[in-house]
């Protein structure tokens, strides 16, 4: 804690208000989309002013520069596709809809070295703690169940994004130095996170939790603690089985629901596999396909692809997906160069959270998702590069 305070004081002494405001944006991320967006916008403006007025703060590592160049390539592809649309109104609508991807270009230039960057992850942790404590108190004093609806009502946050934040917290404490975070504290916090995700009925997050736990337990297992670790995995799996049979949880129904949506998305993708379709809104394209398929019950839902990969192909084609997957290439290259140190296992956990969640949600369609990805993707490539 003392080190964290010292880092914040040092940033203030250096007048790096851009980075401090970025930390504030992450604290606010689970609490308020509007306030987090304002803080993030302010951080970007302050960074630009810092570069233009003070002529400093632009220097970044090679990895962050590559990440920024990938963002520029992705944005350039979207821009070129947009300006060649038949009608100007489609161009404006496309640029407005995809303006969120500007963070792919800007965020890499806002991060620093490994030590101060740690404040970013602690900022998100602080926001999550405030969010969870307030929700627990609200549920207790109002005599209502502690579930996903409490969070959506109080903070307008979908359970998928809150679960992603919780999983990142869990993934971090599993790999932290035990001198900084004792084993007892690790077990207690892990159990609390598991309970919250269980209460949220977040099906894919439960799967990710078990995968991350299994990877870490297998990695740290030895003859001395093998029985303890196997018992831990068995206990978690027993609870997971109970979760599967819980009211409101049905993996088969959830998969069937998404499969129907994916089929509609794939049918539209086939019309322009290489370059995609930016002229029309994704939801409109899917609604049209649902109408043609006679699945009228989907029309009132007005839903997207519920799969980030299919969404990118639908709008930007295989060429757009290829550019985006270059992020994975850069990440895996950094991971390969540092494995098997603790930081690489932590980064692998983050990669699993993103890769798996993208199969069931368009996580970039919301502020929670695009900020989470852009900040912590670049956070981890810096973390790996500094090792």
């Amino acid at each position: 804690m003392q080190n964290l305070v010292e880092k914040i004081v040092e940033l203030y002494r250096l007048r790096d208000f851009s980075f401090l405001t970025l930390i504030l944006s992450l604290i606010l991320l689970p609490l308020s989309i509007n306030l987090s967006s304002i803080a993030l916008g302010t951080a970007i403006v302050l960074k630009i002013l810092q570069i233009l007025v003070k002529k400093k703060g632009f220097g970044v590592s090679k990895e962050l520069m590559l990440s920024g160049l990938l963002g520029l390539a992705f944005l350039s592809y979207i821009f070129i596709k947009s300006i060649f649309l038949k009608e100007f109104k489609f161009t404006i609508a496309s640029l407005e809809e995809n303006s969120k991807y500007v963070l792919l270009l800007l965020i890499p230039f806002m991060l620093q070295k490994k030590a101060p960057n740690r404040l970013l992850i602690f900022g998100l942790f602080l926001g999550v703690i405030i969010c969870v404590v307030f929700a627990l108190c609200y549920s207790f004093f109002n005599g209502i169940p502690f579930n996903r609806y409490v969070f959506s009502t109080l903070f307008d946050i979908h359970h998928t994004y809150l679960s992603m934040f919780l999983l990142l917290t869990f993934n971090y404490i599993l790999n932290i130095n035990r001198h900084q975070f004792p084993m007892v504290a690790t077990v207690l916090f892990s159990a609390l996170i598991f309970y919250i995700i269980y209460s949220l009925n977040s099906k894919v997050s439960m799967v990710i939790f078990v995968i991350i736990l299994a990877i870490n337990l297998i990695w740290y297992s030895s003859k001395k603690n093998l029985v303890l670790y196997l018992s831990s995995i068995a206990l978690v799996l027993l609870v997971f089985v109970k979760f599967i049979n819980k009211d409101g949880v049905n993996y088969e129904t959830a998969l069937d629901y998404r499969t129907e949506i994916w089929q509609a998305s794939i049918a539209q993708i086939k019309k322009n596999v290489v370059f995609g379709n930016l002229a029309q809104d994704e939801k409109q394209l899917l609604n049209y396909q649902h109408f043609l398929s006679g699945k009228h019950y989907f029309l009132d839902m007005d839903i997207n692809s519920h799969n980030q990969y299919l969404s990118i192909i639908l709008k930007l084609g295989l060429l757009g997906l290829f550019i985006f997957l270059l992020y994975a290439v850069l990440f895996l290259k950094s991971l390969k160069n540092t494995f098997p140190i603790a930081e690489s296992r932590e980064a692998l956990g983050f990669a699993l959270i993103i890769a798996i969640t993208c199969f069931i949600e368009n996580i970039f369609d919301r502020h929670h998702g695009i900020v989470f990805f852009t900040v912590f993707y670049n956070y981890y490539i810096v973390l790996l590069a500094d090792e």
Side-chain angles (χ1 to χ4, degrees):
M1 182 60 70
Q2 183 178 354
N3 288 336
L4 294 178
V5 174
E6 289 175 354
K7 290 173 187 174
I8 293 174
V9 171
E10 178 64 15
L11 288 169
Y12 180 80
R13 187 185 67 79
L14 295 172
R15 297 294 187 266
D16 195 345
F17 298 117
S18 170
F19 196 73
L20 288 170
T21 312
L22 179 60
I23 296 170
L24 176 63
S25 174
L26 291 172
I27 295 173
L28 294 169
L29 188 59
L31 303 172
S32 170
I33 291 180
N34 292 334
L35 292 178
S36 177
S37 300
I38 292 170
L40 180 60
T42 303
I44 292 172
V45 171
L46 289 173
K47 186 64 177 182
I48 294 172
L49 291 175
Q50 181 181 330
I51 294 171
L52 296 177
V53 177
K54 295 186 177 181
K55 309 294 182 183
K56 66 177 185 178
F58 189 74
V60 294
S61 66
K62 180 178 121 179
E63 290 74 20
L64 286 177
M65 182 63 72
L66 287 173
S67 176
L69 289 174
L70 285 178
L72 178 62
F74 197 68
L75 283 171
S76 299
Y77 176 67
I78 292 173
F79 180 76
I80 292 170
K81 276 183 59 65
S82 298
I83 62 175
F84 282 105
L85 294 176
K86 290 183 179 180
E87 295 186 34
F88 184 68
K89 65 178 181 180
F90 292 148
T91 298
I92 298 299
S94 173
L95 292 175
E96 183 180 352
E97 179 187 355
N98 293 287
S99 60
K100 59 197 174 190
Y101 290 117
V102 73
L103 294 181
L104 294 172
L105 171 63
L106 296 179
I107 292 296
F109 299 101
M110 299 183 66
L111 268 67
Q112 301 192 12
K113 293 184 178 180
K114 173 182 173 180
N117 280 351
R118 279 296 190 191
L119 292 172
L120 297 173
I121 204 164
F122 284 113
L124 181 65
F125 294 168
L126 177 59
V128 169
I129 290 171
I130 295 171
C131 177
V132 169
V133 170
F134 191 89
L136 281 168
C137 293
Y138 182 86
S139 298
F140 177 77
F141 288 112
N142 288 278
I144 59 176
F146 178 70
N147 54 32
R148 62 174 67 176
Y149 303 109
V150 174
F151 290 97
S152 61
T153 300
L154 293 174
F155 304 108
D156 190 27
I157 183 171
H158 191 274
H159 65 90
T160 298
Y161 301 99
L162 179 60
S163 296
M164 287 168 60
F165 303 162
L166 289 165
L167 287 168
L168 186 73
T169 307
F170 171 63
N171 180 61
Y172 175 79
I173 64 177
L174 284 182
N175 292 283
I176 197 172
N177 190 308
R178 289 293 155 248
H179 294 295
Q180 297 175 305
F181 207 75
M183 181 59 73
V184 173
T186 299
V187 173
L188 290 175
F189 271 89
S190 298
L192 177 60
I193 291 169
F194 188 65
Y195 165 72
I196 297 169
I197 294 176
Y198 184 94
S199 301
L200 293 174
N201 282 4
S202 186
K203 293 175 282 295
V204 73
S205 300
M206 286 291 287
V207 173
I208 298 172
F209 184 99
V210 172
I211 293 173
I212 292 175
L213 179 64
I215 290 173
N216 281 273
L217 288 181
I218 291 171
W219 182 264
Y220 288 112
S221 64
S222 64
K223 291 182 179 179
K224 293 181 179 179
N225 57 29
L226 184 60
V227 174
L228 176 62
Y229 282 5
L230 289 177
S231 300
S232 301
I233 294 177
L235 177 61
V236 171
L237 289 176
L238 283 173
V239 178
F240 183 70
V241 171
K242 182 181 179 183
F243 175 77
I244 293 174
N245 297 311
K246 185 181 177 186
D247 289 340
V249 176
N250 191 315
Y251 279 89
E252 184 177 355
T253 302
L255 182 59
D256 290 342
Y257 167 76
R258 278 175 167 75
T259 300
E260 290 190 77
I261 300 170
W262 295 343
Q263 288 172 346
S265 184
I266 291 170
Q268 286 295 314
I269 285 171
K270 289 179 179 178
K271 296 180 179 181
N272 195 339
V273 177
V274 179
F275 298 106
N277 186 345
L278 273 181
Q280 293 177 271
D281 179 72
E282 178 180 353
K283 294 179 180 179
Q284 292 178 344
L285 289 171
L286 294 184
N287 282 341
Y288 177 67
Q289 188 61 43
H290 290 316
F291 176 78
L292 293 178
S293 303
K295 299 174 181 177
H296 300 155
Y297 47 87
F298 276 116
L299 299 180
D300 292 334
M301 299 181 187
D302 197 32
I303 51 181
N304 56 36
S305 296
H306 276 61
N307 184 304
Q308 190 63 63
Y309 308 109
L310 290 179
S311 177
I312 291 175
I313 300 173
L314 177 61
K315 292 184 285 189
L316 302 173
L318 289 175
L319 185 55
L321 181 66
F322 172 77
I323 298 173
F324 179 75
L325 289 180
L326 290 177
Y327 278 99
V329 174
L330 176 60
F331 196 89
L332 290 173
K333 182 181 177 183
S334 300
L335 199 61
K336 178 183 176 182
N337 293 336
T338 57
F339 201 81
I341 61 172
E343 282 78 4
S344 63
R345 292 195 298 278
E346 184 186 337
L348 177 61
F350 167 76
L352 288 172
I353 294 168
I354 293 295
I356 296 175
T357 307
C358 279
F359 271 106
I360 56 96
E361 288 291 346
N362 288 23
I363 66 171
F364 298 157
D365 283 4
R366 294 198 186 190
H367 176 79
H368 294 119
I370 189 69
V371 172
F372 179 79
F373 173 78
T374 53
V375 170
F376 290 106
Y377 174 88
N378 291 289
Y379 168 90
Y380 279 110
I381 63 172
V382 170
L383 183 69
L384 295 174
D386 283 353
E387 291 304 321

